[in-house]
Amino acid sequence: MSIPGYVLDEEPGESESVHFDRLCGLCTKLFDSEAAWMPDCPNTSSSDDHYHRSHHDIRALEKSANAGCHLCSLIFGQIDKADLEKMRKDLDEAFIPPYRQIGIRIRSPARYGLFQVIAWKHLKSSQSDALADRDQGSSTDPRCWSELAELDIGPEEQDFTHEERSTSYSNCSDATLMQIAQWMRECLTSHTKCFEIQTVAATRDILPLRLLDLVPALNTDIIKLGSSESLPFHTVYATLSHCWGGYCKTTLTTSSLATFQAGIHLHTLPKTFQDAVLLTRNLGIRYLWIDALCIVQDSNEEWSHEASLMGDIYANSSLTLSAPNSPDSEGGLYHSRSPLSVWPCRIAAKWDLFPADKLVVNVPRLIKEGAMEPLSTRGWAFQEWLLSKRIIHFSKDQVRWECHCLAASEVYPDGHEDHEAEFYGTPTKNIIKLLRDQGATPSRLWMRIREEYSQMHLSVATDKLPAFSGIARMVHRVLKSPKEDYIAGLWRPELLAELLWEKYSEEYPIPRRMTALSSPRARLTPRNDCHAREWDKSPQEKIEVIHATFSSPYIAPSWSWASFDGPFWVPFDRDYYKTDRLGVYAKILQAKTFPKSDDYGAVSGGFLQIRGFLYDVELASCPSSPKYSSSREWKASFPQGPTLAHKWSNASLDNVFYTRGTPVTKDTFCFIPILSSCPRTGAKRFECKLIGLLLENAAGGVNQYRRSGVLELHGLDKESLLSRSSGLVPLDSGHSENVDTSELSTIEIV
């Protein structure tokens, strides 16, 4: 099972031994007695008390880890690179005393719980004196610390590493290769659910145009590029998911095609490609697909054709190899790591508060945020990971496995099964099962997938729709929805609500990916709702307007979220809005896009013809009221429009981002109301909401507009929304007879 010709960089010599469970003096004291710990709440005797104490500073921690302390190695391995650099800088510049820099916190030790590593925040001297305990370098005040990492602590029976802990300094040793082979066998022979879902993910029985043949001759240093035309559809092949990093030294071009077909020397390939070839051979798979080597990169026609097949290329492959932590094609799949930073540490505890004297400290089962970056942030990888039958992630710390039934790793080989299979925080597996689940809400989940995808990054802006086409094709198949229902990223059956997409504000953190997809009942928190803020700023602070940079190449019509370079969300696709829907004030007459080649891919244009009430609205952004001092407010007025008395308003402008610091701004737009909602139970009269599109005149002609954003009016009178008293009448059934058609406008949005 060894990898021919492979030598791990910086691997210690065979004579260097690994001593598990060995602790430094400071770590030994952590479990000797209660005397070393301070309770977070010293005035209580609850068994749920949390305890903390100071530990090494960052440089001492690193030194102790390198000297062989198992616990220090686990802690050091869980700290992000950015945090490491900042802490070193803080220590060197004396921003914080060494004895205050790192602390250990145990939550509810009587019930085991979490072993947290925390860093003390640097405070001004007056705050530090008031909050910090100089002797312990800690404080019961949470403002003094922030979490760096978490480890799991429990009884020794919770050690899931089976018989042995590997002493290998590589993330892919012989033992790892055997484990991968075992996962493959189990999936192929016993995962019946995987087979059922795989038939959904792959929408077409196709092979890639070309494949790399890894065993064309006796010379193991040579591979060949060949056509798949003569191969049967069920040919087994592997795929590679990787970051290009802006440059790849070896790619297939028109001029190099003949050379690649004659033979490619392994040493001419980037390291990631070499590793993929060697690993695929070792797993007994003859064919491998790598985009850079199998698609002619200087042929737009071929690239467009293969891009339209990309989803099925990954869905039909037997295995996808993923290089999540490699920023470019030279990063490789194989990485050196200390086994002490990965495998659990077994500890003898003398502290009576622990109900067992033999404990184990593990890396968490749930992967840490950012541990799969940068690849997990890439748009193409979102599709590759979601649609692949099986994935092996070659992370820097350990190898991880994913299929539709199991998410496992080197340390946790039995992993998580079924509904917990999304625990790597990646856009995979559980989504398709939820789509097929009759108890889920498919339309809402479909929107969540698109919202998650919008958070991904693309090196080429025009890839926005092509990189998502495989997912779109798969979802429409699951929903039994015809291709005509897919309109530049929007879904025709819910088009009216989906037109109301809003961007996430630049000021506030975007929710971490996949939290919204872990459950069909999950909800995203609206980041533009000024009643949902939690930060605290002065009401005197103003708003600074910064215009966003939009991609110059055409990507999609302005009414599609794909036209906007950034994350978005749709408030009115949620079930609670559908239940509370009050009225519909616009009707879509026609919606059409012009696909370039793939019905689910790039478009060359599109338009939306809509009929409804069209009003001029003047919007002013202003400082928040004292009650909601932490947020900005909007004021909407209709000079010649309806009488829409409302308590407050909120706007989301597509081409403008806001920060604090500049005076009040005013803009005039056209406003077309779309939907209203009102709670059906226990609602007061003035608790209704109206939402619609903000538009600007387009250069194309009369009654042609571009979308500029979304306007929400809150605290409206329910009766005024259902009668002519406001000048606004719903167009849906039950109210349409009250509409004066002369008040309606038919416009085109491009």
Side-chain angles (χ1 to χ4, degrees):
M1 293 295 293
S2 62
I3 304 173
Y6 169 65
V7 178
L8 178 66
D9 294 338
E10 301 178 4
E11 182 164 3
E14 293 295 328
S15 60
E16 183 170 335
S17 58
V18 176
H19 299 284
F20 290 111
D21 310 327
R22 188 170 65 181
L23 302 181
C24 65
L26 198 52
C27 285
T28 301
K29 291 180 180 178
L30 294 176
F31 301 92
D32 269 355
S33 69
E34 185 177 352
W37 295 86
M38 292 184 62
D40 280 5
C41 304
N43 297 324
T44 67
S45 57
S46 169
S47 62
D48 288 338
D49 283 351
H50 300 171
Y51 292 79
H52 63 267
R53 63 156 296 154
S54 60
H55 201 58
H56 295 297
D57 62 72
I58 192 62
R59 295 201 183 279
L61 179 71
E62 183 176 11
K63 183 178 180 180
S64 178
N66 291 335
C69 174
H70 194 164
L71 188 54
C72 285
S73 296
L74 283 172
I75 294 171
F76 190 77
Q78 289 295 303
I79 300 176
D80 291 335
K81 183 178 179 181
D83 287 330
L84 287 174
E85 293 175 354
K86 183 180 183 303
M87 294 174 72
R88 289 184 183 118
K89 181 179 179 182
D90 287 349
L91 195 64
D92 293 342
E93 297 181 2
F95 280 155
I96 193 165
Y99 60 84
R100 285 190 192 168
Q101 190 173 39
I102 297 178
I104 303 295
R105 186 173 189 251
I106 295 183
R107 292 165 53 183
S108 304
R111 295 185 294 111
Y112 306 110
L114 289 174
F115 188 98
Q116 290 182 309
V117 183
I118 54 179
W120 311 122
K121 291 181 179 178
H122 173 62
L123 303 173
K124 295 179 181 178
S125 58
S126 58
Q127 293 175 290
S128 181
D129 292 342
L131 297 175
D133 184 313
R134 291 184 178 277
D135 294 329
Q136 295 291 331
S138 59
S139 170
T140 59
D141 193 304
R143 287 174 292 173
C144 284
W145 54 268
S146 59
E147 183 183 313
L148 273 179
E150 282 189 353
L151 297 169
D152 293 334
I153 186 170
E156 193 175 44
E157 305 87 75
Q158 292 182 5
D159 186 351
F160 300 100
T161 55
H162 299 324
E163 297 133 15
E164 291 187 2
R165 294 171 285 185
S166 172
T167 59
S168 173
Y169 278 79
S170 168
N171 71 332
C172 191
S173 63
D174 286 353
T176 310
L177 290 172
M178 288 190 290
Q179 180 62 67
I180 293 172
Q182 181 179 335
W183 285 325
M184 285 282 291
R185 284 193 301 272
E186 289 179 359
C187 185
L188 289 167
T189 59
S190 61
H191 289 178
T192 55
K193 287 185 179 179
C194 275
F195 177 76
E196 294 172 4
I197 297 173
Q198 288 163 11
T199 60
V200 173
T203 59
R204 293 165 293 187
D205 294 340
I206 60 168
L207 283 174
L209 180 62
R210 302 181 189 89
L211 287 168
L212 295 167
D213 189 345
L214 308 187
V215 286
L218 295 176
N219 188 347
T220 58
D221 291 333
I222 299 290
I223 61 174
K224 287 185 178 181
L225 181 66
S227 170
S228 65
E229 187 177 1
S230 61
L231 297 176
F233 161 67
H234 293 293
T235 296
V236 174
Y237 67 95
T239 45
L240 177 66
S241 178
H242 68 106
C243 283
W244 279 56
Y247 171 75
C248 183
K249 72 177 184 180
T250 307
T251 61
L252 177 63
T253 62
T254 306
S255 60
S256 65
L257 177 58
T259 303
F260 278 32
Q261 290 172 334
I264 309 169
H265 288 270
L266 280 185
H267 68 84
T268 65
L269 298 179
K271 186 176 185 300
T272 303
F273 298 178
Q274 292 184 43
D275 291 352
V277 168
L278 296 173
L279 180 75
T280 304
R281 280 177 175 169
N282 272 270
L283 293 175
I285 299 175
R286 177 171 178 173
Y287 296 100
L288 174 65
W289 186 87
I290 301 175
D291 52 358
L293 303 181
C294 296
I295 300 176
V296 176
Q297 299 299 313
D298 56 355
S299 170
N300 291 332
E301 181 180 357
E302 179 169 309
W303 187 92
S304 297
H305 178 264
E306 292 297 284
S308 69
L309 305 178
M310 203 78 77
D312 286 314
I313 288 175
Y314 281 89
N316 288 321
S317 72
S318 182
L319 179 68
T320 294
L321 311 177
S322 162
N325 301 137
S326 297
D328 53 43
S329 56
E330 293 291 351
L333 296 176
Y334 309 130
H335 306 282
S336 60
R337 56 94 200 269
S338 167
L340 296 177
S341 67
V342 175
W343 294 96
C345 178
R346 297 161 188 166
I347 296 170
K350 299 178 181 178
W351 186 6
D352 293 340
L353 198 54
F354 286 111
D357 57 1
K358 292 184 178 181
L359 304 174
V360 60
V361 178
N362 277 309
V363 294
R365 280 177 175 251
L366 298 178
I367 194 168
K368 192 175 180 181
E369 290 181 0
M372 305 289 272
E373 294 179 359
L375 189 55
S376 64
T377 67
R378 309 304 298 176
W380 283 103
F382 186 91
Q383 175 172 267
E384 294 161 8
W385 291 6
L386 191 151
L387 297 178
S388 294
K389 294 176 183 176
R390 308 168 191 91
I391 312 175
I392 306 175
H393 298 287
F394 288 84
S395 305
K396 285 188 174 180
D397 58 341
Q398 58 179 311
V399 167
R400 294 176 167 86
W401 165 274
E402 282 190 282
C403 63
H404 295 286
C405 292
L406 177 69
S409 67
E410 183 182 0
V411 175
Y412 294 103
D414 295 331
H416 286 287
E417 294 185 358
D418 296 330
H419 66 283
E420 296 180 334
E422 78 282 358
F423 82 103
Y424 287 147
T426 58
T428 77
K429 315 316 169 202
N430 205 40
I431 302 174
I432 304 177
K433 286 195 288 186
L434 289 174
L435 278 171
R436 295 174 70 249
D437 185 358
Q438 297 301 316
T441 307
S443 61
R444 182 154 53 95
L445 189 59
W446 176 209
M447 176 48 67
R448 297 296 178 83
I449 295 171
R450 288 171 283 173
E451 290 172 348
E452 295 292 335
Y453 172 71
S454 72
Q455 298 180 32
M456 302 296 102
H457 303 293
L458 289 162
S459 300
V460 181
T462 51
D463 287 354
K464 190 74 166 282
L465 290 173
F468 192 69
S469 63
I471 296 175
R473 184 176 281 103
M474 179 272 294
V475 172
H476 275 244
R477 179 181 180 180
V478 172
L479 299 181
K480 296 180 173 60
S481 186
K483 62 184 180 182
E484 292 79 15
D485 282 350
Y486 187 70
I487 315 170
L490 301 182
W491 194 41
R492 193 181 297 274
E494 296 289 338
L495 185 56
L496 203 60
E498 291 189 5
L499 289 174
L500 300 173
W501 59 268
E502 300 179 14
K503 75 175 189 301
Y504 275 106
S505 171
E506 192 178 55
E507 298 179 73
Y508 315 112
I510 300 166
R512 282 300 300 177
R513 295 190 306 102
M514 302 319 300
T515 54
L517 295 177
S518 60
S519 166
R521 297 176 296 279
R523 295 178 178 177
L524 288 176
T525 302
R527 285 300 193 262
N528 285 331
D529 188 340
C530 68
H531 290 270
R533 307 288 191 233
E534 295 182 356
W535 34 260
D536 184 19
K537 291 292 179 181
S538 166
Q540 282 73 38
E541 290 182 309
K542 309 294 185 180
I543 298 170
E544 179 182 357
V545 180
I546 301 176
H547 287 270
T549 301
F550 277 72
S551 305
S552 54
Y554 183 86
I555 297 173
S558 65
W559 39 267
S560 168
W561 55 266
S563 67
F564 173 69
D565 185 15
F568 77 96
W569 74 295
V570 176
F572 264 84
D573 83 308
R574 306 306 194 261
D575 282 348
Y576 53 92
Y577 276 128
K578 293 179 181 179
T579 302
D580 299 338
R581 184 175 294 182
L582 187 63
V584 178
Y585 303 92
K587 182 179 181 180
I588 297 173
L589 304 179
Q590 190 177 10
K592 187 172 180 60
T593 55
F594 305 100
K596 291 183 177 180
S597 57
D598 179 12
D599 292 320
Y600 296 93
V603 298
S604 59
F607 67 88
L608 180 77
Q609 193 177 64
I610 189 169
R611 194 176 193 194
F613 300 90
L614 191 66
Y615 307 110
D616 289 334
V617 60
E618 187 177 87
L619 282 181
S621 59
C622 57
S624 305
S625 63
K627 184 177 181 181
Y628 301 108
S629 60
S630 62
S631 63
R632 64 177 180 270
E633 289 183 353
W634 293 83
K635 291 184 179 179
S637 57
F638 301 88
Q640 300 174 341
T643 307
L644 291 173
H646 55 281
K647 294 181 180 178
W648 59 279
S649 58
N650 184 51
S652 171
L653 299 182
D654 301 341
N655 64 339
V656 178
F657 289 99
Y658 295 89
T659 60
R660 305 177 184 91
T662 57
V664 172
T665 60
K666 290 185 178 181
D667 285 292
T668 300
F669 300 92
C670 292
F671 174 63
I672 182 167
I674 301 293
L675 299 170
S676 64
S677 66
C678 190
R680 300 200 174 187
T681 57
K684 297 180 181 179
R685 179 176 174 181
F686 295 94
E687 287 190 358
C688 294
K689 171 182 176 179
L690 178 69
I691 184 170
L693 295 178
L694 293 171
L695 306 171
E696 292 181 284
N697 287 314
V702 180
N703 291 331
Q704 191 175 82
Y705 298 84
R706 286 182 56 83
R707 181 193 139 121
S708 297
V710 170
L711 175 64
E712 302 172 10
L713 304 178
H714 296 259
L716 287 94
D717 177 17
K718 179 177 180 180
E719 298 303 321
S720 70
L721 289 174
L722 296 177
S723 67
R724 293 197 55 81
S725 62
S726 65
L728 192 65
V729 183
L731 303 183
D732 46 345
S733 59
H735 304 284
S736 56
E737 67 275 5
N738 298 323
V739 177
D740 183 354
T741 56
S742 65
E743 297 178 357
L744 299 178
S745 300
T746 300
I747 63 172
E748 187 177 274
I749 310 175
V750 295

